[in-house]
Amino acid sequence: MGNKINISEPQIEEKEIKAVVNVLKSRNIVQGELVAKIEEKFSKLCGVEYAIATSNGTSALHTALFAAGVGEGDEVITTPFTFVATVNSILMVGATPVLVDIDEGTFNINPREIEKAVSKKTKAIITVDLYGQPVDYSEIRKIAKKHKLIIIEDAAQSVNASYKGKKTGNLADIGCFSFYATKNITCGEGGMVTTNNKNFYIKAKEFINHGQRIGKNYDYVGIGYNYRMTDIAAAILLEQLKKVDMFTKKRQKNANRYNNAFFRTNGIIIPEIAPNRTHVFHQYTIRVAQPFPITRDRLKVLLESKGIMSRIYYPIPLYRFFHIKKDSRIFDCPVTDRVSREVLSLPVHPALSKSEIDYIIDAVIGQ
Ligand SMILES: *Cc1c(COP(=O)(O)O)cnc(C)c1O
């Protein structure tokens, strides 16, 4: 095969291009009608009362923590096996990240480890639906209820996934999404905050618009940022949203094809789907372990030599980085340490053909 197979590929078609051209021609290029429309449609997808469009997923997380009233002196429990923005957002509001270990099967935060880490200062939990699979919300809700904690869902990777029949964005007190170019739906850069709580909604809406009181120009309730989405981005996202079910099905089908091929391969551990939830396969992530004949890193290089771009999400647990280590409370994370040496994500995006998937399967099994 001559062409490279990329790990991700934004699915941009004529519809998205036309939608952007229409916005440009209208001259209404900043926040306007289309942002209002995507907020309405996205809230319907999630089944929540409110959705607030933001400039990206990181600003959505920052906004959610602010709206939840998390600040200096507070602790926020989360996973070290995530993208850095999850933990950076906690530092951005001056709170202390508390990093606990994950569950080996799902790669998601382990509720039992959360329970051990709760202190008098704990204010919130940020769950991350890693690779597109929701965490065990029933278990996490029990802990949150017992200790009066707010749950913030980092659903950057899990748009359209569900847990016990409820969609992501509606599984915690506040949900946060990203529409970065590699995510399941994209508008280049973009994000969303979702909630059923009116107070959180008002705070979030003000925060992303310079702290300006809703409906009152130049009247500021407090500090705010410019975290608004533009109508240019919203136009793209409206088209993407129409295809989210189709994208999801294609990813799930690709994942299934891999599973059927790999489940008998010694040393390849296929991703586990825990009960009561759907997995939208933002990433299809295998573990490469004994007795597979070569190491994970060697397999990655070999795949690359065959034009297959695999990626390691995430090679270094976040507690290893100085700026995080120095300001966090860190628990033992033997599972995170181990799986960060074993995980390898293979291309699973909707544009892959059956023959490309078969080619990747042969390249892995052939080792
Ligand atoms: C992508 C991502 C983010 C950050 O989103 P951006 O839009 O890139 O700012 C946060 N958390 C997780 C888990 C992500 O995958």
Side-chain angles (χ1 to χ4, degrees):
M1 249 175 233
N3 289 339
K4 268 202 307 198
I5 305 177
N6 287 318
I7 183 81
S8 67
E9 212 171 278
Q11 306 300 299
I12 302 296
E13 297 172 314
E14 212 42 52
K15 288 258 174 68
E16 280 83 352
I17 295 167
K18 278 211 182 101
V20 170
V21 170
N22 286 341
V23 174
L24 294 176
K25 283 185 175 163
S26 79
R27 265 67 179 175
N28 297 322
I29 58 173
V30 294
Q31 184 156 105
E33 275 173 26
L34 296 183
V35 169
K37 197 165 166 189
I38 191 68
E39 288 176 337
E40 194 214 316
K41 300 241 171 196
F42 200 82
S43 67
K44 290 223 167 89
L45 173 77
C46 301
V48 292
E49 286 287 318
Y50 308 104
I52 304 112
T54 63
S55 51
N56 57 60
T58 310
S59 57
L61 283 162
H62 186 195
T63 301
L65 283 159
F66 174 85
V70 178
E72 260 172 62
D74 295 329
E75 291 183 349
V76 180
I77 301 174
T78 194
T79 165
F81 197 58
T82 177
F83 183 57
V84 69
T86 313
V87 174
N88 277 346
S89 68
I90 300 168
L91 297 172
M92 284 159 78
V93 295
T96 302
V98 177
L99 304 176
V100 304
D101 211 0
I102 58 170
D103 167 66
E104 182 167 332
T106 61
F107 307 107
N108 278 333
I109 195 164
N110 185 335
R112 283 189 304 279
E113 301 297 318
I114 296 178
E115 185 82 71
K116 284 188 218 163
V118 173
S119 79
K120 283 204 177 80
K121 291 182 179 169
T122 311
K123 176 101 180 209
I125 301 166
I126 303 185
T127 55
V128 180
D129 305 327
L130 201 72
Y131 307 145
Q133 172 163 226
V135 308
D136 192 344
Y137 282 97
S138 294
E139 282 304 307
I140 286 167
R141 270 192 182 286
K142 270 187 225 158
I143 300 165
K145 200 169 174 197
K146 184 167 150 201
H147 302 282
K148 296 195 169 63
L149 309 176
I150 294 164
I151 311 171
I152 295 171
E153 177 184 13
D154 181 343
Q157 303 185 357
S158 66
V159 65
N160 209 31
S162 56
Y163 177 84
K164 295 191 175 168
K166 263 193 185 181
K167 286 275 170 81
T168 52
N170 191 16
L171 297 172
D173 298 299
I174 313 182
C176 301
F177 292 84
S178 164
F179 308 116
Y180 182 64
T182 58
K183 301 288 155 73
N184 287 22
I185 56 173
T186 181
C187 54
E189 299 274 10
M192 197 74 74
V193 175
T194 57
T195 187
N196 289 309
N197 181 312
K198 191 166 184 190
N199 182 39
F200 291 163
Y201 165 73
I202 292 167
K203 286 208 164 120
K205 196 88 180 157
E206 289 164 345
F207 191 67
I208 67 150
N209 190 27
H210 306 287
Q212 190 166 278
R213 203 180 293 282
I214 297 173
K216 277 205 167 177
N217 285 345
Y218 310 111
D219 179 10
Y220 308 103
V221 294
I223 187 152
Y225 290 73
N226 178 354
Y227 280 166
R228 295 179 305 244
M229 182 184 276
T230 66
D231 265 24
I232 302 170
I236 303 171
L237 201 55
L238 279 162
E239 292 304 325
Q240 293 271 298
L241 199 62
K242 293 177 191 165
K243 297 184 274 194
V244 69
D245 284 331
M246 186 257 287
F247 289 160
T248 304
K249 284 197 189 102
K250 285 193 174 169
R251 285 175 179 275
Q252 288 167 336
K253 196 168 163 191
N254 291 343
N256 244 336
R257 206 161 255 154
Y258 281 133
N259 281 343
N260 289 336
F262 294 147
F263 87 103
R264 282 180 206 282
T265 307
N266 283 332
I268 297 289
I269 303 167
I270 63 173
E272 176 186 319
I273 304 178
N276 300 317
R277 64 207 89 178
T278 61
H279 192 320
V280 295
F281 288 100
H282 172 61
Q283 299 298 344
Y284 179 84
T285 304
I286 55 170
R287 286 164 60 198
V288 183
Q290 294 285 349
F292 198 71
I294 57 173
T295 63
R296 184 268 314 264
D297 291 346
R298 189 83 197 105
L299 177 60
K300 185 173 182 293
V301 171
L302 273 168
L303 292 176
E304 200 165 329
S305 75
K306 297 183 176 195
I308 302 161
M309 300 296 121
S310 62
R311 281 291 275 274
I312 299 162
Y313 300 105
Y314 295 91
I316 306 170
L318 292 177
Y319 44 74
R320 297 266 166 76
F321 294 96
F322 178 75
H323 80 282
I324 292 170
K325 193 196 285 194
K326 82 177 173 51
D327 287 326
S328 301
R329 205 150 67 82
I330 298 159
F331 283 74
D332 271 350
C333 296
V335 179
T336 302
D337 275 327
R338 178 152 35 83
V339 303
S340 65
R341 294 192 295 266
E342 296 176 345
V343 287
L344 189 67
S345 299
L346 302 175
V348 72
H349 62 77
L352 290 165
S353 66
K354 181 177 182 299
S355 65
E356 283 173 318
I357 301 265
D358 289 342
Y359 175 71
I360 297 167
I361 289 168
D362 286 346
V364 173
I365 289 181
Q367 299 317 314

